[in-house]
Amino acid sequence: MKPDIAWQRNDYSRVPFWLHHDEGIYALEMERIFRGPAWSYLCLEAEIPNACDFRTTWVGDTPVIVSRAKDGVIHAFVNRCSHRGAMIVRELRGNAERLVCLYHRWCYSNAGELTGLPFRKGIKGEGGMPEEFDMKAVSPQRLKVANYHGMLFGTFSDRAETIEAYLGEFGTGMVRRFLSRPIRILGYSRQRIAGNWKLYAENLRDTYHASLLHEFFVTYGVDRATQKGGVKMDARHRHNMNHAYAASDTDEDAKAAYADTAARLDRMQLRDKKLLHYKNEFPDGMNLATPTFFPNALLIQINNTIGTRQIRPKGPGAHEVFQTLFGYADDDEAMTRHRLISANLVGPAGFVSMEDGEAIEVIQKATRSSPEGCEVIEMGGRGEVRDLAHRVTETPIRGFWSYWAELMGVEPAGGIR
Amino acid sequence: MNVSLETRELLTALMAEYAMAIDEDRLEDWVELFAEDCDYRVVTRENVEQGLPNVLMWCDNKDMLRDRVDSYRNVNEYNLHYDRHILGPLRFISEKDGAWTFDVSYSLFQTTLEGESRLFSVGRYRIEARLEGSAARLKTVAVIADTGLVPSLLATPI
C-alpha cells in the first residue's frame, strides 16, 4: 500500500495535518518504521545488570521483553505467547530463570525460545501436541539487539545498518558523552499526551520553541536563544541535537532579543536558587543537550538532570513519554540530591517541559478538522537541511520528515534528504 | 492509635483546607499551610516500590513552594482546568513531640473549561503535621501517586 500524500513542497516545509490523525498512516508507521529498518531505543543496560534480569518495553506499539541470559548475553523478543498470543510477562521487570505464560503455562528461556509446554505428550497416551510440533519454529519473534555503551537498541529488520552507522559520528559521540561512566538509575516518570507521536518528535527538533513556550528558561536565565549553541544532525538528518553553552551570552543581548515577547527577563527572581545551580561535569561545557534519535529516543541533559526518554506511540491520537533519570555510580549523596532537585525542571511536571504536553494536545485538537491544512516549517530557511550554529531554526523537523518519508516509501519527486 | 477528638478534628480541618485551597485556586493560601522547613514531594508508587528516589516534583523548603506558585502564576503555561480533590479519612500512624504522622487517600479530578471531567490522579498522602497550640502546620507532604502515567501534564499541585 502506498498512501497518497500530496506534498506541496519537496523540502518538507509544508506537512499535511492529516498525517497526525490517520489510522492507515499509523499502521504503516508501525510496519515500515518501528518494525522496519530503524533502530529503536529499548532500555539501558544498567536496568538489567544481573543474569536472568528482564524488563518489558515497547517498540512502536509492539510489547517487547529485554532480558539477560545466564551467559550475560542480552536478548529482546516480542512479549506475546506463541500459543494464543497472551502477553508472556505482565510485570514491569524481574529476575527469573524462565518466563512462563499464565494462560497454558508455556515456558520460554531468557533468550526468548519456547522450551516447554504442559501435556505436550498428552496424558496416559491421550491428547497432546502432534509428534512433529516444532517449538523452535513458533518461538516469539526476536529483535536484533545492539548495546552501544550501555544504551540498548533493537530492530526487527535484517536490513538495518550497524548501530554505529545508524547513529553516525554525531550520535555515537553523544551516547558516549552521556554514558562515559557507570550509571545509577534514579527512577522513572511517565506522561500520556493526547497527540500523535510525531508531534513529540517534531517538538524535539524545534529549538525555536524552547525559549518561547518554556518561558521559565528565559525568565530565570537557564537558556536563551542568544546563548551560543545550535542544532546538529547526523548526515542523513534523521537524528538531531539542540544544545547551548552555559553563560555564553550577555543580559544586554538577551534583553534586546526578547524585547517584543512577553518574557520577564529581570522582573522575577527565584527565592531558592539551588534549583538552577549547575555543576559542570562534561568537558564540552554544555549545560543543555538533547540528542534525539529517530524514531523513539532522546538523551536529555538539563543542567545536572540526566536521562533518557522513550516515545511509545499509542494509536494515532496518543503517545506515552517514558523518562528514565540516572546519575553516575560515583555520585555522593549530595550529588544525587542535587540531581533530584534539578529534576524539578524536567518530566511531566518540569518547569521547562510541562508546556510541551499542552502544546501538542492543542495541535491535535485543532488540526483534526482540517485535513487539507498544513504545518508551515520555514524558520531557519527552506531547501537544503543542514547544521546551524544558531538556534533560531526548526530545520531539523524537515530532516525528520525526509527520513520518515524515505522509510514510509512516500518521498515526493526530488524530495530532499 | 489513641488520638484525641480535638487533634483529629484539627488535622482533618487542615487537610480539608489543603484540598479546598488548591481546588479554589488559592495556591498562595495552600503554601501558607506549610512550615518554613517543610518538604513537599510528588513521587510515584512505581518508583517507591522499586526503592528508586525519583521525584516528579520536590520542594525541600517553603521558598521552593513559593517559587513553584509564582512560576505557575507568571511564567508557565499548562492545561486550563479546575481541580477537585476527594479525600479519605485520616489514618494515624504515630506521634512524636507534637508532630503527627498520618496517611490520607486522595482522588483528584480535573475538569476542562468546557466542563469535561476526568480522573487525573489517585494515590495517598503521607503527612507529617505539627500542632502548635490550636494551629496545625504541614511539615512533610509526600504525595505517593498510584497514577504514574500522568495524563497530559502535572502543573498545579496534588
Side-chain angles (χ1 to χ4, degrees), chain A residues 92-93 184-194 213-217 219-220 264 267-275 320 322-323 325 336-337 340-341 343-346 348-352 354-358 361, chain B residues 39-44 46-47 50-80 112 114 116 118 147-156:
Chain A
L92 295 175
R93 52 187 56 76
R184 185 159 76 90
I185 304 293
L186 296 178
Y188 306 99
S189 65
R190 300 163 184 267
Q191 184 174 8
R192 188 185 176 93
I193 298 175
L213 175 67
H214 307 304
E215 210 180 306
F216 189 94
F217 269 134
T219 304
Y220 298 113
R264 297 164 179 80
R267 286 183 28 209
M268 292 184 58
Q269 289 283 324
L270 287 174
R271 291 177 184 82
D272 191 334
K273 294 191 170 53
K274 72 172 176 288
L275 176 66
E320 177 182 338
F322 181 82
Q323 179 173 269
L325 292 188
T336 299
R337 188 180 175 94
L340 292 171
I341 285 288
N344 278 296
L345 296 170
V346 302
F351 279 123
V352 301
M354 69 172 80
E355 288 89 358
D356 291 325
E358 175 67 358
E361 293 198 353
Chain B
D39 189 292
Y40 171 81
R41 69 180 86 184
V42 180
V43 297
T44 69
E46 177 183 354
N47 285 312
Q50 292 178 68
L52 296 170
N54 193 33
V55 291
L56 297 186
M57 216 188 264
W58 184 13
C59 300
D60 71 356
N61 62 61
K62 197 167 175 175
D63 274 344
M64 284 190 81
L65 279 178
R66 292 182 177 111
D67 286 338
R68 266 268 169 199
V69 171
D70 272 2
S71 191
Y72 293 145
R73 293 289 189 229
N74 299 300
V75 181
N76 289 108
E77 302 280 354
Y78 50 90
N79 56 326
L80 304 175
T112 68
E114 291 190 287
E116 187 179 347
R118 65 172 169 180
T147 311
L149 181 61
V150 174
S152 308
L153 60 99
L154 170 63
T156 47

Side-chain angles (χ1 to χ4, degrees), chain B residues 93-104:
Chain B
I93 310 284
S94 64
E95 186 267 344
K96 191 168 182 262
D97 305 328
W100 290 86
T101 301
F102 53 94
D103 286 336
V104 184

Side-chain angles (χ1 to χ4, degrees), chain A residues 289-367:
Chain A
T290 54
T292 300
F293 305 119
F294 189 98
N296 76 334
L298 71 150
L299 285 159
I300 179 159
Q301 177 205 355
I302 305 276
N303 288 344
N304 296 107
T305 295
I306 297 169
T308 64
R309 283 185 201 155
Q310 184 191 44
I311 308 172
R312 301 175 170 183
K314 303 287 176 191
H319 63 278
E320 177 182 338
V321 179
F322 181 82
Q323 179 173 269
T324 306
L325 292 188
F326 60 84
Y328 295 101
D330 57 4
D331 286 349
D332 59 16
E333 207 176 305
M335 189 62 182
T336 299
R337 188 180 175 94
H338 171 62
R339 291 192 198 284
L340 292 171
I341 285 288
S342 124
N344 278 296
L345 296 170
V346 302
F351 279 123
V352 301
S353 60
M354 69 172 80
E355 288 89 358
D356 291 325
E358 175 67 358
I360 288 169
E361 293 198 353
V362 295
I363 293 175
Q364 193 77 12
K365 273 183 199 152
T367 56

Side-chain angles (χ1 to χ4, degrees), chain A residues 127-145:
Chain A
M129 299 293 276
E131 196 62 42
E132 68 277 13
F133 178 70
D134 181 356
M135 291 200 291
K136 203 173 166 109
V138 299
S139 286
Q141 190 182 1
R142 295 168 53 80
L143 288 83
K144 191 191 286 182
V145 177

